[in-house]
């Protein structure tokens, strides 16, 4: 038994310390936003945030996250009250099949927490570990910029001036 | 002999027991069989002489070469320009003379040295801030003798100790290539050097000691390929600038040629018979590594070496092979502890390390083994770590850099990638993992002061991330 802090709550999980964080999130905690794409740290679809930084949960064993704060997409917002990053992705329609999208949003969230006004070049560099087989890249780029502006605006609810 | 005496001798007779084949001038007789005291006296006398010579040489100021109007690009023969492009790639010119986000060849890259920070110069044909007003003879003199068009001595961060070996014809091709680039108006920041190092005439003294002019002498006993490789490696490619350790005055220690050096928080591996590569490099393996950036029995080019490989991508196979042939010969007879790939892997099956370092073993098993023991060869799987020079070598920095930052994908190429673990692994876990890898796969004594090395590597990684955020630079192949 170990304690895992996810989205602000402590969870008791019964798993070996070498279990990938992704498996525990999906199979034990039923947090299914993070996806299993490659399981090898090569596609980014499993990205979550650990202590403020984007982490590939498929290559992160539990023993590396003990005592740390894990945030998944479910921890950012809900359907009723989406977080700025989620709103931005919806408003830019930055998804096709959606398989990569949760990971992309978590990467964007971590980037914007560290760097509220990233340049195009920075965003591209940051998203290097992520693959999207549907080709939504340009929309994702726009969505990250839009999210940056949304987060910057006091009233994020109705921002028609963006873009 | 004390370190001090050794240092004095190395400073003043850099060719002592010289192994650098290309400089075949006879060794100074004073070097051998001298009793210790005489050596010290000779050393002191040499220091006095050095000071005198510096003053004398400084007085003999290099003449200015008259400026000219920048030549029109169409006055250069396109074939020569093209040859110059390939030569510039071999010389890795853009790595130092381009900052990310800045104009190509416009300079301004800070080059940290033990003596302060030197900024690379603008070598675009801009008349005011670049080399646009340089006649060809001024460019050739800079390559040959490290002197600027206006007569100032250039700091040897510009590796004219190697470029002096470049042929006239190649210098002219490089000139043609550079003079046909886009002119960029940009002055590099002022060098940050303290007195007396900011006093350029001192460089004249350095040159007296270390600049050995003259073409690389051919060795008739070796083939044409070997000789071509020697010419490139010792000249334009300036491999020794990173892979040879430097003395107290920042000159390459000729009697330790290719025994490993430092560059940008990375260790440039030894390439001679002191190499720590578990498997000896062959010419074929080196060729594949230089051509593709990875080789299954050795691993992946990272850090500054990844930039070198990136530049070589446009260079003809024949030149890359020549470099490989020459360097394979330099790496000499295999040391007894070097193995064939299968031996190296087979002998790594020790279980002691696992018992001694359960924390490190657990991290390896959970986070690393699925790729590094997945049975897929490079570039689709991770290299078997028993083959890793980073783990077998004397300096942990390369291993730490790569675990923290990973290996990025190379656009348009089939190349190994690895996720970085900086965001998930803490310093204590990193130390445990590195110690485990060192004993399990390297089968060597633990690295000294690993805690500090981990803290330093982490700081470098964080600084580079912050710099990326600040300057909006795009990611660079292999840089942390
Ligand atoms: S599933 Fe984790 S990176 Fe692909
Ligand atoms: S939207 Fe389908 S993989 Fe990105």
């Amino acid at each position: 038994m170990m304690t895992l802090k996810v989205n602000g709550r402590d969870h008791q999980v019964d798993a070996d310390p070498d279990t990938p964080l992704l498996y525990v999130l999906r199979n034990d905690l039923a947090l299914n936003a993070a996806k299993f794409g490659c399981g090898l740290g090569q596609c980014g679809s499993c990205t979550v945030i650990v202590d403020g930084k984007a982490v590939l949960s498929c290559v992160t064993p539990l023993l590396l996250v003990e005592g740390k704060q894990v945030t998944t997409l479910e921890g950012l917002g809900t359907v009723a009250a989406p977080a700025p990053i989620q709103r931005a992705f919806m408003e830019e329609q930055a998804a096709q099949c959606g398989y990569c999208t949760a990971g992309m949003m978590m990467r964007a969230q971590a980037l914007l927490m560290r760097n509220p006004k990233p340049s195009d070049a920075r965003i591209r560099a940051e998203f290097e570990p992520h693959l999207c087989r549907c080709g939504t890249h340009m929309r994702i780029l726009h969505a990250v910029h839009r999210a940056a502006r949304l987060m910057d605006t006091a009233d994020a609810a109705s921002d028609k001036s963006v873009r | 002999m004390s370190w001090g005496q050794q240092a004095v001798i190395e400073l003043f007779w850099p060719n002592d027991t010289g192994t650098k084949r290309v400089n075949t001038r006879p060794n100074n007789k004073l070097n051998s069989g001298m009793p210790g005291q005489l050596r010290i006296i000779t050393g002191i006398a040499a220091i006095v002489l050095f000071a005198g010579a510096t003053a004398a040489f400084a007085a003999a100021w290099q003449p200015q070469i008259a400026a000219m109007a920048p030549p029109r690009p169409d006055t250069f023969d396109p074939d020569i320009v093209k040859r110059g492009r390939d030569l510039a790639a071999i010389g890795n010119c853009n790595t130092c003379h381009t900052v990310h986000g800045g104009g190509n060849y416009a300079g301004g890259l800070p080059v940290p040295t033990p003596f302060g920070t030197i900024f690379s110069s603008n070598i675009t044909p801009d008349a005011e801030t670049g080399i646009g007003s340089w006649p060809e003879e001024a460019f050739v003199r800079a390559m040959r003798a490290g002197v600027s068009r206006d007569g100032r001595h250039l700091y040897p961060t510009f590796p004219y100790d190697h470029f002096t070996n470049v042929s006239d014809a190649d210098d002219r091709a490089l000139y043609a290539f550079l003079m046909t680039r886009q002119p960029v108006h940009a002055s590099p920041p002022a060098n940050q050097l303290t007195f007396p190092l900011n006093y350029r005439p001192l460089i004249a003294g350095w040159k007296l000691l270390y600049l050995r002019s003259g073409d690389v002498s051919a060795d008739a006993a070796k083939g044409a390929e070997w000789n071509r490789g020697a010419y490139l490696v010792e000249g334009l490619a300036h491999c020794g600038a990173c892979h040879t350790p430097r003395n107290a005055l920042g000159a390459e220690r000729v009697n330790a040629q290719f025994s490993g050096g430092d560059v940008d928080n990375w260790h440039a591996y030894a390439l001679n018979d002191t190499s720590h590569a578990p498997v000896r490099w062959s010419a074929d393996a080196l060729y594949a590594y230089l051509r593709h950036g990875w080789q299954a029995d050795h691993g992946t080019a990272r850090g500054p070496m990844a930039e070198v490989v990136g530049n070589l991508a446009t260079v003809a196979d024949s030149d890359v092979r020549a470099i490989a042939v020459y360097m394979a010969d330099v790496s000499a007879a295999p040391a007894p502890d070097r193995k064939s790939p299968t031996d190296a892997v087979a002998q790594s099956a020790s279980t002691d390390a696992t018992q001694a370092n359960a924390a490190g073993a657990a991290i390896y098993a959970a986070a690393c083994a699925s790729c590094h023991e997945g049975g897929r060869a490079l570039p689709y799987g991770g290299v078997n770590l028993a083959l890793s020079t980073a783990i077998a070598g004397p300096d942990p920095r390369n291993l730490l850099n790569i675990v923290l930052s990973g290996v990025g994908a190379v656009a348009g190429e089939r190349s190994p990638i690895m996720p970085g673990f900086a965001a998930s692994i803490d310093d204590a876990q990193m130390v445990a993992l590195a110690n485990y890898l060192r004993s399990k796969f390297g089968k060597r004594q633990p690295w000294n002061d690993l805690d500090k090395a981990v803290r330093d590597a982490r700081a470098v990684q964080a600084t580079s991330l912050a710099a990326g955020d600040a300057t909006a630079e795009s990611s660079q192949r292999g840089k942390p």
Side-chain angles (χ1 to χ4, degrees):
Chain A
M1 272 294 173
M2 72 171 266
T3 309
L4 194 61
K5 302 178 189 211
V6 184
N7 298 334
R9 279 187 45 202
D10 284 0
H11 299 267
Q12 296 301 316
V13 294
D14 184 15
D16 288 340
D18 65 352
T19 314
L21 173 61
L22 176 65
Y23 296 5
V24 176
L25 293 175
R26 291 181 61 89
N27 300 346
D28 298 65
L29 307 182
L31 295 168
N32 289 319
K35 301 285 182 285
F36 182 102
C38 62
L40 294 167
Q42 302 192 351
C43 74
S45 68
C46 64
T47 303
V48 299
I49 291 178
V50 176
D51 281 356
K53 293 176 188 147
V55 155
L56 303 171
S57 63
C58 70
V59 289
T60 305
L62 284 190
L63 61 96
L64 290 184
V65 292
E66 209 170 350
K68 297 175 184 167
Q69 292 287 352
V70 178
T71 309
T72 69
L73 190 62
E74 290 92 339
L76 294 187
T78 61
V79 175
I85 190 70
Q86 293 165 312
R87 261 194 60 195
F89 269 69
M90 286 189 285
E91 287 168 4
E92 294 289 347
Q93 292 287 289
Q96 173 94 276
C97 77
Y99 204 83
C100 69
T101 315
M104 297 279 189
M105 285 195 268
M106 295 314 281
R107 176 75 57 180
Q109 178 74 20
L111 169 63
L112 293 173
M113 290 189 317
R114 184 184 88 223
N115 178 354
K117 271 203 182 350
S119 66
D120 249 27
R122 189 66 223 172
I123 299 171
R124 287 171 191 267
E126 194 77 12
F127 278 76
E128 208 178 59
H130 291 251
L131 299 179
C132 171
R133 61 191 169 176
C134 301
T136 58
H137 305 80
M138 296 314 292
R139 286 170 182 266
I140 290 172
L141 203 58
H142 290 146
V144 178
H145 284 305
R146 179 182 284 255
R149 290 187 300 262
L150 285 176
M151 289 177 183
D152 199 33
T153 315
D155 175 22
S158 67
D159 187 356
K160 293 277 182 271
S161 67
V162 284
R163 172 118 171 273
Chain B
M1 187 166 35
S2 74
W3 179 86
Q5 288 165 265
Q6 175 68 42
V8 165
I9 286 165
E10 286 195 6
L11 285 178
F12 292 96
W13 292 280
N15 277 332
D16 186 21
T17 69
T19 54
K20 189 172 180 180
R21 188 205 61 85
V22 294
N23 292 325
T24 47
R25 65 185 45 71
N27 280 346
N28 191 328
K29 274 272 158 44
L30 284 171
N31 289 340
S32 49
M34 214 173 9
Q37 221 168 16
L38 179 56
R39 279 185 169 155
I40 295 175
I41 293 166
T42 322
I44 292 168
I47 290 173
V48 174
L49 266 175
F50 171 41
T54 302
F57 204 80
W61 194 247
Q62 293 288 320
Q64 174 161 359
I65 295 177
M68 57 166 203
R72 291 213 332 264
D74 59 6
T75 56
F76 293 96
D77 177 346
D79 286 342
I80 295 185
V81 171
K82 208 158 137 264
R83 221 158 53 78
R85 180 200 65 187
D86 293 344
L87 291 167
I90 293 174
N92 222 23
C93 309
N94 61 342
T95 298
C96 285
H97 286 283
T98 303
V99 291
H100 288 267
N104 283 345
Y105 301 105
L109 185 86
V111 182
T113 76
F115 314 102
T117 301
I118 293 175
F119 290 85
S120 65
S121 56
N122 180 342
I123 53 170
T124 71
D126 182 62
E128 254 176 68
T129 60
I131 60 168
S133 66
W134 289 36
E136 189 180 77
E137 85 177 280
F139 179 79
V140 174
R141 181 177 71 170
M143 294 286 285
R144 199 52 47 92
V147 176
S148 171
R149 183 195 62 76
D150 60 10
R152 281 179 315 154
H153 291 286
L154 296 166
Y155 286 102
T157 15
F158 173 51
Y160 47 76
D161 51 338
H162 290 277
F163 293 168
T164 191
N165 295 319
V166 177
S167 72
D168 278 350
D170 283 355
D171 276 345
R172 282 198 293 271
L174 282 163
Y175 178 77
F177 171 71
L178 290 172
M179 294 305 265
T180 49
R181 294 310 90 202
Q182 189 69 39
V184 179
H185 191 83
S187 296
N191 294 332
Q192 293 154 5
L193 296 165
T194 47
F195 182 82
L197 296 164
N198 54 0
Y199 181 62
R200 284 189 186 251
L202 273 186
I203 304 170
W206 191 95
K207 289 179 183 174
L208 277 182
L209 290 169
Y210 303 117
L211 181 59
R212 300 280 173 270
S213 294
D215 290 340
V216 176
S217 46
D219 185 337
K222 313 277 187 175
E225 206 169 42
W226 187 97
N227 276 296
R228 173 73 181 162
Y231 167 74
L232 292 174
V233 166
E234 306 296 355
L236 199 53
H238 64 287
C239 308
C242 293
H243 288 280
T244 298
R246 293 178 182 271
N247 67 20
L249 289 185
E252 289 174 33
R253 292 171 44 201
V254 176
N255 56 358
Q257 199 192 9
F258 295 126
S259 57
D262 295 306
V263 52
D264 291 352
N265 303 302
W266 294 80
H267 176 66
Y269 295 127
L271 303 177
N272 58 13
D273 58 355
T274 66
S275 162
H276 289 83
V279 176
R280 188 195 174 193
W281 283 97
S282 67
D284 283 345
L286 269 167
Y287 170 77
Y289 178 85
L290 293 172
R291 194 75 292 187
H292 307 298
W294 55 272
Q295 204 279 331
D297 295 338
H298 294 92
T300 310
R302 297 115 21 195
M305 192 61 203
E307 296 174 50
V308 173
V309 170
N311 276 329
L312 286 180
T314 56
V315 171
D317 278 348
S318 56
D319 276 347
V320 176
R321 185 161 283 285
I323 292 173
V325 164
Y326 176 69
M327 286 313 302
D329 192 41
V330 163
S331 75
D337 67 332
R338 288 212 266 146
K339 316 165 180 83
S340 75
T342 28
D343 289 350
V345 174
Q347 287 178 22
S348 74
S350 127
T351 47
D352 301 356
T354 315
Q355 284 150 10
N357 182 348
I363 296 169
Y364 172 77
C368 319
S370 64
C371 286
H372 286 282
E373 288 187 19
R376 291 178 305 275
L378 280 179
Y380 304 113
V383 69
N384 186 311
L385 295 179
L387 301 171
S388 162
T389 315
I391 291 172
D395 187 322
R397 282 177 300 173
N398 294 8
L399 173 70
L400 303 179
N401 288 342
I402 200 166
V403 172
L404 291 176
S405 298
V407 181
V410 179
E413 275 175 53
R414 198 172 55 115
S415 67
I417 64 173
M418 173 178 147
F421 288 84
S424 53
I425 199 166
D426 67 28
D427 284 3
Q429 290 165 331
M430 186 71 230
V431 170
L433 175 63
N435 270 328
Y436 172 76
L437 298 175
R438 175 77 170 169
S439 67
K440 165 94 176 166
F441 297 105
K443 299 201 168 314
R444 287 177 168 75
Q445 291 302 308
W447 283 301
N448 291 328
D449 226 354
L450 191 55
D451 301 68
K452 180 175 180 309
V454 168
R455 284 195 305 276
D456 290 349
R458 176 87 69 182
V460 167
Q461 198 264 343
T463 313
S464 133
L465 192 67
D469 282 340
T471 62
E473 72 178 24
S474 60
S475 82
Q476 188 181 343
R477 175 175 173 147
K479 275 236 160 144

mmCIF file with all atom_site columns, all heavy atoms in Angstrom, chain A residues 107-119:
data_model
loop_
_atom_site.group_PDB
_atom_site.id
_atom_site.type_symbol
_atom_site.label_atom_id
_atom_site.label_alt_id
_atom_site.label_comp_id
_atom_site.label_asym_id
_atom_site.label_entity_id
_atom_site.label_seq_id
_atom_site.pdbx_PDB_ins_code
_atom_site.Cartn_x
_atom_site.Cartn_y
_atom_site.Cartn_z
_atom_site.occupancy
_atom_site.B_iso_or_equiv
_atom_site.pdbx_formal_charge
_atom_site.auth_seq_id
_atom_site.auth_comp_id
_atom_site.auth_asym_id
_atom_site.auth_atom_id
_atom_site.pdbx_PDB_model_num
ATOM 1   N N   . ARG A 1 107 ? 0.801  19.173 -21.192 1.00 0.00 ? 107 ARG A N   1
ATOM 2   C CA  . ARG A 1 107 ? 2.095  19.783 -21.529 1.00 0.00 ? 107 ARG A CA  1
ATOM 3   C C   . ARG A 1 107 ? 1.955  21.299 -21.602 1.00 0.00 ? 107 ARG A C   1
ATOM 4   O O   . ARG A 1 107 ? 2.779  22.050 -21.090 1.00 0.00 ? 107 ARG A O   1
ATOM 5   C CB  . ARG A 1 107 ? 2.593  19.225 -22.865 1.00 0.00 ? 107 ARG A CB  1
ATOM 6   C CG  . ARG A 1 107 ? 3.866  19.839 -23.396 1.00 0.00 ? 107 ARG A CG  1
ATOM 7   C CD  . ARG A 1 107 ? 5.114  19.397 -22.673 1.00 0.00 ? 107 ARG A CD  1
ATOM 8   N NE  . ARG A 1 107 ? 5.254  17.944 -22.708 1.00 0.00 ? 107 ARG A NE  1
ATOM 9   C CZ  . ARG A 1 107 ? 6.270  17.276 -22.143 1.00 0.00 ? 107 ARG A CZ  1
ATOM 10  N NH1 . ARG A 1 107 ? 7.236  17.934 -21.521 1.00 0.00 ? 107 ARG A NH1 1
ATOM 11  N NH2 . ARG A 1 107 ? 6.312  15.962 -22.184 1.00 0.00 ? 107 ARG A NH2 1
ATOM 12  N N   . ALA A 1 108 ? 0.847  21.744 -22.250 1.00 0.00 ? 108 ALA A N   1
ATOM 13  C CA  . ALA A 1 108 ? 0.620  23.178 -22.398 1.00 0.00 ? 108 ALA A CA  1
ATOM 14  C C   . ALA A 1 108 ? 0.438  23.832 -21.029 1.00 0.00 ? 108 ALA A C   1
ATOM 15  O O   . ALA A 1 108 ? 0.998  24.895 -20.745 1.00 0.00 ? 108 ALA A O   1
ATOM 16  C CB  . ALA A 1 108 ? -0.614 23.416 -23.261 1.00 0.00 ? 108 ALA A CB  1
ATOM 17  N N   . GLN A 1 109 ? -0.324 23.163 -20.179 1.00 0.00 ? 109 GLN A N   1
ATOM 18  C CA  . GLN A 1 109 ? -0.569 23.703 -18.841 1.00 0.00 ? 109 GLN A CA  1
ATOM 19  C C   . GLN A 1 109 ? 0.755  23.877 -18.083 1.00 0.00 ? 109 GLN A C   1
ATOM 20  O O   . GLN A 1 109 ? 1.016  24.926 -17.487 1.00 0.00 ? 109 GLN A O   1
ATOM 21  C CB  . GLN A 1 109 ? -1.497 22.746 -18.073 1.00 0.00 ? 109 GLN A CB  1
ATOM 22  C CG  . GLN A 1 109 ? -1.803 23.156 -16.643 1.00 0.00 ? 109 GLN A CG  1
ATOM 23  C CD  . GLN A 1 109 ? -2.788 24.331 -16.574 1.00 0.00 ? 109 GLN A CD  1
ATOM 24  O OE1 . GLN A 1 109 ? -3.513 24.590 -17.543 1.00 0.00 ? 109 GLN A OE1 1
ATOM 25  N NE2 . GLN A 1 109 ? -2.794 25.029 -15.449 1.00 0.00 ? 109 GLN A NE2 1
ATOM 26  N N   . ALA A 1 110 ? 1.594  22.869 -18.134 1.00 0.00 ? 110 ALA A N   1
ATOM 27  C CA  . ALA A 1 110 ? 2.882  22.950 -17.427 1.00 0.00 ? 110 ALA A CA  1
ATOM 28  C C   . ALA A 1 110 ? 3.740  24.061 -18.012 1.00 0.00 ? 110 ALA A C   1
ATOM 29  O O   . ALA A 1 110 ? 4.395  24.811 -17.279 1.00 0.00 ? 110 ALA A O   1
ATOM 30  C CB  . ALA A 1 110 ? 3.613  21.606 -17.512 1.00 0.00 ? 110 ALA A CB  1
ATOM 31  N N   . LEU A 1 111 ? 3.719  24.183 -19.319 1.00 0.00 ? 111 LEU A N   1
ATOM 32  C CA  . LEU A 1 111 ? 4.511  25.241 -19.957 1.00 0.00 ? 111 LEU A CA  1
ATOM 33  C C   . LEU A 1 111 ? 4.020  26.614 -19.521 1.00 0.00 ? 111 LEU A C   1
ATOM 34  O O   . LEU A 1 111 ? 4.802  27.480 -19.138 1.00 0.00 ? 111 LEU A O   1
ATOM 35  C CB  . LEU A 1 111 ? 4.425  25.111 -21.486 1.00 0.00 ? 111 LEU A CB  1
ATOM 36  C CG  . LEU A 1 111 ? 4.992  26.289 -22.298 1.00 0.00 ? 111 LEU A CG  1
ATOM 37  C CD1 . LEU A 1 111 ? 6.495  26.445 -22.059 1.00 0.00 ? 111 LEU A CD1 1
ATOM 38  C CD2 . LEU A 1 111 ? 4.728  26.105 -23.783 1.00 0.00 ? 111 LEU A CD2 1
ATOM 39  N N   . LEU A 1 112 ? 2.677  26.802 -19.539 1.00 0.00 ? 112 LEU A N   1
ATOM 40  C CA  . LEU A 1 112 ? 2.136  28.128 -19.242 1.00 0.00 ? 112 LEU A CA  1
ATOM 41  C C   . LEU A 1 112 ? 2.295  28.490 -17.760 1.00 0.00 ? 112 LEU A C   1
ATOM 42  O O   . LEU A 1 112 ? 2.387  29.658 -17.420 1.00 0.00 ? 112 LEU A O   1
ATOM 43  C CB  . LEU A 1 112 ? 0.661  28.204 -19.659 1.00 0.00 ? 112 LEU A CB  1
ATOM 44  C CG  . LEU A 1 112 ? 0.439  28.119 -21.176 1.00 0.00 ? 112 LEU A CG  1
ATOM 45  C CD1 . LEU A 1 112 ? -1.045 28.038 -21.503 1.00 0.00 ? 112 LEU A CD1 1
ATOM 46  C CD2 . LEU A 1 112 ? 1.075  29.314 -21.890 1.00 0.00 ? 112 LEU A CD2 1
ATOM 47  N N   . MET A 1 113 ? 2.346  27.487 -16.914 1.00 0.00 ? 113 MET A N   1
ATOM 48  C CA  . MET A 1 113 ? 2.587  27.789 -15.497 1.00 0.00 ? 113 MET A CA  1
ATOM 49  C C   . MET A 1 113 ? 4.009  28.313 -15.310 1.00 0.00 ? 113 MET A C   1
ATOM 50  O O   . MET A 1 113 ? 4.279  29.127 -14.438 1.00 0.00 ? 113 MET A O   1
ATOM 51  C CB  . MET A 1 113 ? 2.360  26.541 -14.639 1.00 0.00 ? 113 MET A CB  1
ATOM 52  C CG  . MET A 1 113 ? 0.880  26.149 -14.575 1.00 0.00 ? 113 MET A CG  1
ATOM 53  S SD  . MET A 1 113 ? 0.463  24.848 -13.375 1.00 0.00 ? 113 MET A SD  1
ATOM 54  C CE  . MET A 1 113 ? 1.724  23.651 -13.564 1.00 0.00 ? 113 MET A CE  1
ATOM 55  N N   . ARG A 1 114 ? 4.909  27.815 -16.149 1.00 0.00 ? 114 ARG A N   1
ATOM 56  C CA  . ARG A 1 114 ? 6.310  28.221 -16.009 1.00 0.00 ? 114 ARG A CA  1
ATOM 57  C C   . ARG A 1 114 ? 6.593  29.480 -16.819 1.00 0.00 ? 114 ARG A C   1
ATOM 58  O O   . ARG A 1 114 ? 7.361  30.335 -16.422 1.00 0.00 ? 114 ARG A O   1
ATOM 59  C CB  . ARG A 1 114 ? 7.174  27.069 -16.544 1.00 0.00 ? 114 ARG A CB  1
ATOM 60  C CG  . ARG A 1 114 ? 8.645  27.249 -16.394 1.00 0.00 ? 114 ARG A CG  1
ATOM 61  C CD  . ARG A 1 114 ? 9.402  26.086 -17.040 1.00 0.00 ? 114 ARG A CD  1
ATOM 62  N NE  . ARG A 1 114 ? 9.656  26.324 -18.444 1.00 0.00 ? 114 ARG A NE  1
ATOM 63  C CZ  . ARG A 1 114 ? 9.503  25.406 -19.397 1.00 0.00 ? 114 ARG A CZ  1
ATOM 64  N NH1 . ARG A 1 114 ? 9.065  24.191 -19.113 1.00 0.00 ? 114 ARG A NH1 1
ATOM 65  N NH2 . ARG A 1 114 ? 9.783  25.699 -20.643 1.00 0.00 ? 114 ARG A NH2 1
ATOM 66  N N   . ASN A 1 115 ? 5.958  29.569 -17.963 1.00 0.00 ? 115 ASN A N   1
ATOM 67  C CA  . ASN A 1 115 ? 6.260  30.627 -18.922 1.00 0.00 ? 115 ASN A CA  1
ATOM 68  C C   . ASN A 1 115 ? 4.941  31.119 -19.504 1.00 0.00 ? 115 ASN A C   1
ATOM 69  O O   . ASN A 1 115 ? 4.421  30.556 -20.457 1.00 0.00 ? 115 ASN A O   1
ATOM 70  C CB  . ASN A 1 115 ? 7.171  30.037 -20.019 1.00 0.00 ? 115 ASN A CB  1
ATOM 71  C CG  . ASN A 1 115 ? 7.515  31.036 -21.106 1.00 0.00 ? 115 ASN A CG  1
ATOM 72  O OD1 . ASN A 1 115 ? 6.998  32.149 -21.139 1.00 0.00 ? 115 ASN A OD1 1
ATOM 73  N ND2 . ASN A 1 115 ? 8.393  30.632 -22.012 1.00 0.00 ? 115 ASN A ND2 1
ATOM 74  N N   . PRO A 1 116 ? 4.358  32.189 -18.917 1.00 0.00 ? 116 PRO A N   1
ATOM 75  C CA  . PRO A 1 116 ? 2.998  32.593 -19.287 1.00 0.00 ? 116 PRO A CA  1
ATOM 76  C C   . PRO A 1 116 ? 2.885  33.137 -20.709 1.00 0.00 ? 116 PRO A C   1
ATOM 77  O O   . PRO A 1 116 ? 1.780  33.272 -21.216 1.00 0.00 ? 116 PRO A O   1
ATOM 78  C CB  . PRO A 1 116 ? 2.654  33.687 -18.268 1.00 0.00 ? 116 PRO A CB  1
ATOM 79  C CG  . PRO A 1 116 ? 3.780  33.745 -17.307 1.00 0.00 ? 116 PRO A CG  1
ATOM 80  C CD  . PRO A 1 116 ? 4.941  33.002 -17.856 1.00 0.00 ? 116 PRO A CD  1
ATOM 81  N N   . LYS A 1 117 ? 3.997  33.497 -21.332 1.00 0.00 ? 117 LYS A N   1
ATOM 82  C CA  . LYS A 1 117 ? 3.925  34.045 -22.689 1.00 0.00 ? 117 LYS A CA  1
ATOM 83  C C   . LYS A 1 117 ? 4.962  33.367 -23.581 1.00 0.00 ? 117 LYS A C   1
ATOM 84  O O   . LYS A 1 117 ? 5.905  33.996 -24.039 1.00 0.00 ? 117 LYS A O   1
ATOM 85  C CB  . LYS A 1 117 ? 4.213  35.553 -22.642 1.00 0.00 ? 117 LYS A CB  1
ATOM 86  C CG  . LYS A 1 117 ? 2.999  36.426 -22.433 1.00 0.00 ? 117 LYS A CG  1
ATOM 87  C CD  . LYS A 1 117 ? 3.303  37.820 -22.959 1.00 0.00 ? 117 LYS A CD  1
ATOM 88  C CE  . LYS A 1 117 ? 2.195  38.822 -22.773 1.00 0.00 ? 117 LYS A CE  1
ATOM 89  N NZ  . LYS A 1 117 ? 0.913  38.361 -22.345 1.00 0.00 ? 117 LYS A NZ  1
ATOM 90  N N   . PRO A 1 118 ? 4.777  32.107 -23.862 1.00 0.00 ? 118 PRO A N   1
ATOM 91  C CA  . PRO A 1 118 ? 5.800  31.417 -24.661 1.00 0.00 ? 118 PRO A CA  1
ATOM 92  C C   . PRO A 1 118 ? 5.733  31.822 -26.128 1.00 0.00 ? 118 PRO A C   1
ATOM 93  O O   . PRO A 1 118 ? 4.664  32.125 -26.646 1.00 0.00 ? 118 PRO A O   1
ATOM 94  C CB  . PRO A 1 118 ? 5.431  29.938 -24.495 1.00 0.00 ? 118 PRO A CB  1
ATOM 95  C CG  . PRO A 1 118 ? 3.970  29.937 -24.229 1.00 0.00 ? 118 PRO A CG  1
ATOM 96  C CD  . PRO A 1 118 ? 3.644  31.228 -23.536 1.00 0.00 ? 118 PRO A CD  1
ATOM 97  N N   . SER A 1 119 ? 6.875  31.838 -26.757 1.00 0.00 ? 119 SER A N   1
ATOM 98  C CA  . SER A 1 119 ? 6.932  32.134 -28.192 1.00 0.00 ? 119 SER A CA  1
ATOM 99  C C   . SER A 1 119 ? 6.513  30.885 -28.976 1.00 0.00 ? 119 SER A C   1
ATOM 100 O O   . SER A 1 119 ? 6.495  29.777 -28.436 1.00 0.00 ? 119 SER A O   1
ATOM 101 C CB  . SER A 1 119 ? 8.349  32.512 -28.580 1.00 0.00 ? 119 SER A CB  1
ATOM 102 O OG  . SER A 1 119 ? 9.183  31.384 -28.409 1.00 0.00 ? 119 SER A OG  1
#
